[in-house]
Amino acid sequence: MLKLEGVTAAYGQSPVLFGIDLEVADAEAVTLIGRNGVGKTTLLRTITGLHPVTGGGVRLNGAQVEKEAAFTRARSGLAYVPQGRGLFGHLTVEENLLMGLPALSGRATAKREIPELVYDLFPICRDMAGRRAGNLSGGQQQQVAIGRALVTQPRYLLLDEPTEGIQPSIVQEIEVALTRVRTELRVAVLLVEQYLDFAWSFADRYYVMQKGRVVETGTTADTPTHAVQRYLGV
Amino acid sequence: MDFTFISGQLFTGLSVASILLLAALGLALSFGLMRVINMAHGEFLMVGGYLTYLAAQWAGPTLGDAWLWVAFPLAFLGAGLLGAVMEFAVIRRLYGRPLDTLLATFGISLILQQAARQLFGSTGVPVTAPAWLGGALTLGDVTLPFVRLFVIALALIVLAGMWWLLNRSPFGMHVRAVNQNREMAAALGVNTRSLDMLVFSLGAGIAGVAGVGLALIAPVNPTVGAAYIVNAFLVVVVGGVGSVLGAAVAAVLLGFVTALAEGFTSSSLAQAILLVLVVAFLQWKPRGLIPTKSRALEEA
Amino acid sequence: MRPSTSTIAVIAVLIALAFAPLYLGAYPLTLLGRVLALSIASIGVSVVWGRTGILSLGQGLFFGLGGYALAMHLKLVATPKGELPDFMLYNGVEKLPWFWAPFASAPFALAMVLILPAAAAGLVAWLMFRRRITGVYVSIITQALLLAFVTWLNGSQGLTSGTNGITDYQTFLGVGLRGPDVAHGLYWVTLLFVALALGGTAALLRTPFGAILTAIRDNENRTRFLGFNPAAFKIAAFMLGGLLAGVSGALYTLHLGTISPAMIGTAFSIELVVWVALGGRASLIGAAAGLVLGQLAKDRISSAAPDAWLYVMGALFVLVVLVMPQGVAGLIQNRRRPPAPMPAPQNPVAQNPVTREVSDAV
Amino acid sequence: QSTVKVGVLHSLTGTMAISEITVANAAQLAIDEINAKGGVLGKKIVVVKEDGASDWPTFATKAEKLLTQDKVATVFGGWTSASRKSMLPVFEKNGGLLFYPVQFEGNECSPNIIYTGAQPNQQALPALEWALSKGYKKIFLLGSDYVYPRTANLILKKHITDMKATLSGEEYVALGGTEFSSVINKIKAAKPDVIINTLNGDSNVSFFKQYQAAGYKASTLPVISFSIAEQEAQAIGTQLLNGQYATWNYFQSLPNPANKKFVAAYQKKHGAGAAITDPMAHAYMDVYLWKAAVEKARSFEPMAVRKAIVGISMDSPLGKITVAPNGSLTQAVYTGISGAGGQFKVVAQSKGVVKPEPYDKLAFPGKTCP
Amino acid sequence: MPSELPETLLDVRDITVSFDGFKAITNLSLSVPKGSLRVLIGPNGAGKSTLLDTIIGKVRPDTGEVRFAGQVISRLPEHRIAGLGICRKFQAPGVLEGLTVRENLLLTARKDKGVLGILKAPTRAEQERADELLRLTGLTERAGVLAASLAHGEKQWLEIGMVVAADPQLLLLDEPTAGMTAQETAQTAELIHALAGRHTVLVIDHDMHFVELLGAPITVLHQGQVFREGDLETLRADPDVMEIYLGRPRELMAHG
Ligand SMILES: Nc1ncnc2c1ncn2[C@@H]1O[C@H](COP(=O)(O)OP(=O)(O)OP(=O)(O)O)[C@@H](O)[C@H]1O
Ligand SMILES: Nc1ncnc2c1ncn2[C@@H]1O[C@H](COP(=O)(O)OP(=O)(O)OP(=O)(O)O)[C@@H](O)[C@H]1O
Ligand SMILES: NC(N)=O
Ligand SMILES: [Mg+2]
Ligand SMILES: [Mg+2]
């Protein structure tokens, strides 16, 4: 289980997160929505360890990890697909995927190779294996980025707006792929998303953020999308 | 200009190139890959040089000429260790701020030079090369001192090793990834801190090895590094930042230009000519001989 | 517009400085005058680096051009009619080199003090910025050019007097330079130039020109696609920096009675930048004050403990950068203003320079 | 007891420190000796020590401080001609007096400077004459690229032509330069009989190393150096320098009693192995000359001292020295051959003392000191 | 060509753009009439952004040319092209972070962008324009803060404001709604409608709701070429467009 307890964070002197409580159970799909700038990306970064918390705790599989470095958290099963994809632009697609392997260090069980499933879910990872990742188009990059996250054999997958800038048909493919990841690999997913239709069809539960706070939560099955729209208006 | 003179100058060009390359290869790591403008790089050379001197002092009496084989690991590890300390204390706080790094490392270079001055004095300490490096290969009228040939060989070995490490080993891939996107690499489980330290100290260690080569040719003094630093940076820039092979080609090019200019003018004019030619070259190829697209550097 | 408190403070300091000859002894006054002359160059560094983001490690080149332009004139004035400057004689030069001849004219030399550095800076900048050479490349290239210049000066003794530099002046515009009474006059002239440089530059930066420089520093490409030609603005800023360095060099030459390659070399140029960093690179006053205080401290400490000085200076370089990246001026400002946002690397989007979309757009 | 302040202005840091610190030490030794014997005109000498930091403008700044703030009676200092040139206007402007102890290129005659180091005719020309007398006809000039070597070589060239010898080449390397491949290649092509070497500092070590690696030795191609004294010779090492020549006004090995006493006193203070050089001996004597002049003038006033110093003569470690009207020394010249421990054995010496000629008659006809 | 239609503002003629041998755009032609609104869609990697890059001079076509108001611009330097009245909004917000919000608008609103011209203080008209845009983008209260401290969405709005302030004849918007909520998207659509007519606007987006709101003629790019042109209704029904770009409608997929 991934659990946040009263997490606060700041940029310099200005606080952006004010006591976030949130949890994602194993193999659960949760979506986090909210307007621009409410702190969604910041929250994901505090979970991964890329941004320090100023207070509160992050628990991963029961262990307190908020003081741990990002790379140790990655090694204990946390994978992150950032907004903007974060591929290594000068590396080839295949090298990008190989860069998922360091997360397996210290995990005795894991086989240090790219799982076949990645190619299965995202065929372009094989088709474009030799191309520089930086030269792919946005949609292609997004698929490689998710593929790379899967190479780390995560238990928790954090996705920051994976549909941003992606053509509709690939959004569908990503949704299919993510659903398989959840069901076949039993990976828990925390999805930050603006595209509500997609978020609702994928996730079991949702959290809504406003100005650095979680203001509402519930199950997607019980809440129609128009009921949360008001949080997203200007 | 007779044939002997010309061939002598060509050899001079290669000699100069080998020293330049040795000085530049360490920079190819710290500057080329990590984008750290290490103005104290020359001082790693200096440290390597002094350690060579110490190795000759300590090990010379017992080991005879074999002290040289003590000097290499000593210089490599000594300079590498200093590099690690420097990375830990200063550099790591400045990633992404290349211009600030430049200033801070310049400060460090002042401190190291002054420390050397107080420890060893301002005059150079001479190192006597092993006897088997004393002779020269004579081809017709041209004499090729063994010391020079040795340094050329050293440069080639270090070059080959670095090329393999960066382009053919997983270590190299991690290094390249970290230097494109440090955060993402960390999020994928790479211990970026220790990798950074490792790469930086490896660059320092290579400079230390370059210091061994230098010490065999010229005395080691507190400013020996400062004398090479600008040219070493130019080699990296002309070669194309981030490209080890580019640096090699650039070193040879600069070496020949120097030798040619020195052959036909005076040595101080040659240096001025070289610098101006380099700037002119950058007009033509601003990203060097083998350009790597790299934005991090320009965003400085 | 009402003058801000900092403007009032600066004017007060300038007035206090104007009365310095009344309360300072001879040596402190010459020292202060000299250091003030240097501070004009640091104002230029602040414009070029602090405002425009271009770190030139070759300001000594422009400083030197200004200094040499004036020194050549002073040397010719001090040389008896029909003779060659002494150093040419010792180097076997038999005829006054063509580029020396016009410097016999004071108006020409004074014009050159302004034109040479500005034009050289313009040329260097044009060569670099036209080809979109940026960042540390600029630092390395400017340093290389400076080194080439210094090497040439050293190696062309018949023309430049080499390492010795040009020295031994007697009069300037008919005024004897050796008398004890000229010290005050020179001090006031220097102070006047400092005030002009500060005021003029500040006024210039208050126009939209200043805003453009900041814009270019932060995001050059974006500025370009908004219809501005960044190269042109960078060249202009660089020329201003060169001009200020040149004026500074000429004044400094007058103060010291000599100009030589050692005065303008790599160490000088980097030190200049560091004092600016210490004072606060983005603030003109910070830059000038950083230089003045740094140099005064250098004078003190290097007399008291020569061996320690390099350690102190080295440590200062490191600490300034680590502890107060915006210098003292930045610290003062931070106390007055809400904290500035984190530097770009914190930002996930800017942090990711590889994605083509992102990197190319910004 | 009242005191009088004097300045000692040398590079205590930077590249020149190695040479200049010992020169400052030698001046200090003389001052201590004088103070121990009651000082000058009944006043103890107080030293204000400043660091020129191997940086010429710093010399000017520090000279200004010594004269205007500390108001010293005189200054002992300087090594490179560049540092002297940058101090000169300061001394002239403030009416100060500088004692300069190092061999130099001549062509300068400030009333505010006492030049005790060799003038060109007291080092360079005697060395050339000696070389020609040994039958070396083809001469290669090698120097650091600054005013002293350039001017010294300009004078030598005139005399080489005048004496019907051959100039086989002339090369300069930037101060501190260590790369001599091209130079040695040029020497190879020129095939000279002898090299006259005005390289300064570390460049010498590199040069001799690379000269040796190219297969040269003293017996095949001798080198006569003007800037290698005992201290430098120690640093370069016997292995590289053995059998090479140097010309100076002083060698540590000079057998006169004044020198024995000086060497003993210095080594007592600075260690038995301490090397002692020509500029040190000059610096040491500078203090004594100043003291004699002050006592003669009965005043510390710099211009009075300057006037009084002319004609003062003493037996010194350098042999007999006399201050000439132009403010330089009349002194002897020695050529030595390098041997064990960096010591030189005198192989030739001038007939008696040589008068100082700041302006070489052949190179600069018609020029004289005012 | 003398037969050129007078109302054509942007005329892309048979351009080919390649990167290291890879053709991102192949013999593409496209013309946009003055005052019109045009939407560009197509798969990721179709060459849409590259087309915009070519128009603003960031990349140069291998063959073919780009004409703007009759003038060939494909060889002019970037700032000159911008000076002719072409302004692009990049996807990642490109505001000038070291300047205040108002300064950002004032600078872009300037007519004279030369080194000497810039020395003049902003004119009354420019000031008024900036203030008007502050209101329009809802940033009046933030006028004095540094652009760096704006939230992502605010930066988006500011950049839109800047693009409008520049008062260009041709506006190029690359995925303006990326990362926006549905409501912000709708507002953006409204703003674009307001701009069209006076300005010519070319919009790229993957959000079909947004495209629907724009209600403008659509060009579909595919593999560097024009694949289809038409309105959304027709394209939605086109199986080829579905295949390469739109995919199946969501309602169907949910059960697939
Ligand atoms: N590097 C930074 N420095 C200062 N403030 C920042 C920085 N990055 C983000 N912020 C601020 O922190 C707040 C939260 O930003 P964050 O990126 O987490 O929002 P978000 O919810 O992910 O928005 P979006 O939907 O636009 O991606 C915003 O107000 C933003 O302005
Ligand atoms: N600088 C470049 N170097 C190499 N290839 C490039 C470069 N720029 C674009 N490409 C390639 O050109 C093709 C078109 O890219 P472009 O960015 O124009 O697509 P797009 O239609 O804007 O896609 P998206 O909808 O994902 O933004 C892609 O395959 C991309 O990989
Ligand atoms: N005078 C000298 N040796 O510079
Ligand atoms: Mg976000
Ligand atoms: Mg695109």
Side-chain angles (χ1 to χ4, degrees), chain B residues 112-132:
Chain B
L112 291 176
Q113 282 181 31
Q114 180 64 7
R117 212 168 273 130
Q118 293 197 306
L119 286 173
F120 298 96
S122 337
T123 352
V125 293
V127 173
T128 312
W132 53 270

Side-chain angles (χ1 to χ4, degrees), chain C residues 192-265:
Chain C
L192 179 70
F193 272 100
V194 172
L196 280 177
L198 262 182
T201 311
L204 185 68
L205 291 182
R206 216 165 292 138
T207 68
F209 179 75
I212 284 288
L213 297 187
T214 309
I216 290 172
R217 180 191 64 193
D218 292 344
N219 196 337
E220 177 166 348
N221 275 329
R222 182 70 238 193
T223 319
R224 176 174 296 122
F225 293 117
L226 288 175
F228 298 95
N229 181 7
F233 289 96
K234 286 164 88 170
I235 292 169
F238 208 75
M239 285 176 77
L240 178 61
L243 178 81
L244 289 171
V247 171
S248 172
L251 281 168
Y252 197 67
T253 301
L254 271 181
H255 275 279
L256 218 58
T258 172
I259 177 96
S260 68
M263 289 161 61
I264 66 176

